[in-house]
Amino acid sequence: MSLRHVIPPYLLDAIAERGGEKFPRAARAARSCQVSDDSCRKLRAEGLRYTPVATPDGGARDSEGEMHSQVIGASAGVNRLIHDAQGTETLPGVLVRSEGEESVSDEAVNEAYDGLGASYSLFAEAFDRNSLDGKGMPLIASVHYGQDYDNAFFDGRLMVFGDGDDEVFTGFTGSLSIIGHELSHGVISHTADLEYLGQPGALNEHCADVFGALTEQHDAGQNAEDAAWLIGAGIFTPEVTGKALRSMLAPGTAYDDDVLGTDPQPDHMDRFVTTESDNGGVHLNSGIPNRAFALSATRLGGPVWETVGQVWFAVLTGSDITTRTDFAGFAALTIAEAADQFGEGSDVHDALVQSWDAVGVTGGGGRGNVGSSW
């Protein structure tokens, strides 16, 4: 899989271009992050990203032959390995906390450890899935990546967290929804593997948001009606006029800042964004299915992972979805799955029918405003 960064390119572009006066450190960090992210993508494409391989003596070696202390293979439960990149871009860094070990003095290490555990617990307890690949894949993370690195990403093997620039972004381990979002990309890549382009790519981002939000809600034992439905809440410093990266329930309202601009996510197919950037607007147009999901969940109330969450997981891991499924196809699959699981005319089924119609994906809704761009 290609890299999945949580901060969309248009947000880094805005900070780099307009942040010089108010956020000079963040502007420099955004420019550096853009270069670093491009380099990471090239490394990943060339197969040079850290790839742990089990060795006969129970350790593991990466592609450069460096030893690591844990077996990389299936396990009966969660298996977390947290590394410290120590401000470099060399991965994975020094192993600083392994599964079952006590907390350490580094808050980012402990947040990463706990966040990976919460994501594992959601999939194991709610969906009976053993880690990202369903086969006990270890959850490997690196914290303190780079200098003022304004992003977090999952490259198919390990989760990587920057510390932020302290002007716009705080440390990325502090948001459980971000950790759940990024690790959910691993589940997606091992199941539907939705093409990261256009509507399938927006669905890829959408499903990662769904299970990122559910990671947070499941960990807190929270019902749909009590949830914030925010992705990345708390990731901004107090200097930013904004509450999160995205709002699932109200796309387009997450931030409105002089430097960052206004949250550009559409909430209806009439406002669908046609663009060549951001892989065809994958971080933008995900707002449309996000709202459909959040609307159906809040209409039903209660623990979301027991209702529409079950529908989404079944569709994502089922045989009918393809790598190029679009919004209309995905909506049809979820409505059919809700009928199979809960019965046609059930509360879950009806909530989905109403919610997909409310965002214009089904019914009389439009197919997008081709004049809109980013």
Side-chain angles (χ1 to χ4, degrees):
M1 67 179 279
S2 59
L3 295 181
R4 304 285 187 260
H5 292 90
V6 72
I7 303 299
Y10 55 79
L11 202 50
L12 291 176
D13 289 344
I15 298 167
E17 292 169 9
R18 301 195 294 265
E21 184 174 346
K22 184 178 181 181
F23 300 129
R25 182 176 175 183
R28 290 192 299 271
R31 289 190 289 270
S32 176
C33 190
Q34 290 168 321
V35 173
S36 176
D37 290 348
D38 286 342
S39 176
C40 283
R41 290 186 185 95
K42 290 176 182 177
L43 280 172
R44 179 68 183 91
E46 295 166 3
L48 299 180
R49 175 65 63 192
Y50 165 64
T51 307
V53 179
T55 60
D57 60 0
R61 297 181 186 275
D62 64 15
S63 58
E64 301 299 321
E66 182 182 349
M67 282 299 299
H68 298 275
S69 62
Q70 299 289 331
V71 174
I72 305 300
S75 65
V78 62
N79 183 9
R80 291 163 286 187
L81 304 169
I82 314 299
H83 302 77
D84 184 353
Q86 300 178 323
T88 74
E89 295 186 11
T90 301
L91 293 171
V94 179
L95 183 65
V96 290
R97 189 176 177 189
S98 300
E99 186 60 43
E101 292 183 348
E102 295 296 323
S103 60
V104 297
S105 59
D106 189 326
E107 184 178 10
V109 171
N110 297 328
E111 288 175 339
Y113 184 91
D114 292 342
L116 267 58
S119 183
Y120 180 94
S121 294
L122 169 72
F123 287 105
E125 295 170 11
F127 308 116
D128 196 29
R129 185 174 183 85
N130 185 12
S131 195
L132 310 185
D133 61 351
K135 301 176 182 178
M137 176 182 177
L139 300 181
I140 306 170
S142 295
V143 300
H144 304 309
Y145 176 79
Q147 295 293 319
D148 293 345
Y149 184 67
D150 279 342
N151 228 323
F153 63 85
F154 181 71
D155 76 345
R157 296 166 175 81
L158 73 159
M159 178 79 209
V160 180
F161 300 95
D163 290 325
D165 56 63
D166 287 329
E167 286 186 343
V168 171
F169 295 109
T170 63
F172 285 81
T173 56
S175 172
L176 184 52
S177 60
I178 282 180
I179 295 175
H181 169 101
E182 288 299 314
L183 288 180
S184 294
H185 277 305
V187 176
I188 295 163
S189 70
H190 281 100
T191 54
D193 197 23
L194 289 154
E195 181 182 38
Y196 206 62
L197 181 68
Q199 287 193 21
L203 285 172
N204 193 312
E205 280 297 318
H206 156 67
C207 288
D209 274 355
V210 163
F211 294 108
L214 292 195
T215 295
E216 195 168 70
Q217 293 172 27
H218 182 264
D219 185 64
Q222 193 173 51
N223 290 333
E225 60 270 29
D226 301 319
W229 293 103
L230 298 174
I231 302 299
I235 201 65
F236 291 135
T237 70
E239 299 304 311
V240 175
T241 306
K243 53 191 175 183
L245 293 176
R246 291 182 289 280
S247 169
M248 294 184 68
L249 193 57
T253 68
Y255 55 87
D256 188 359
D257 183 82
D258 291 343
V259 172
L260 277 63
T262 301
D263 177 5
Q265 276 207 313
D267 61 359
H268 191 279
M269 285 300 289
D270 285 346
R271 291 172 285 281
F272 184 93
V273 179
T274 300
T275 177
E276 293 183 0
S277 65
D278 188 31
N279 289 79
V282 298
H283 289 94
L284 293 168
N285 294 314
S286 58
I288 297 169
N290 274 2
R291 178 158 169 76
F293 182 91
L295 280 176
S296 60
T298 51
R299 279 172 172 153
L300 291 164
V304 183
W305 56 90
E306 295 180 357
T307 55
V308 286
Q310 291 293 327
V311 172
W312 255 244
F313 183 78
V315 168
L316 188 67
T317 57
S319 59
D320 293 328
I321 193 171
T322 73
T323 59
R324 296 189 176 184
T325 293
D326 62 8
F327 286 2
F330 191 82
L333 289 174
T334 61
I335 291 169
E337 180 63 33
D340 287 344
Q341 278 198 44
F342 298 94
E344 189 168 355
S346 64
D347 289 345
V348 176
H349 176 262
D350 288 351
L352 284 178
V353 171
Q354 294 165 15
S355 297
W356 283 118
D357 183 64
V359 300
V361 171
T362 58
R367 291 297 297 172
N369 181 356
V370 295
S372 181
S373 64
W374 178 258

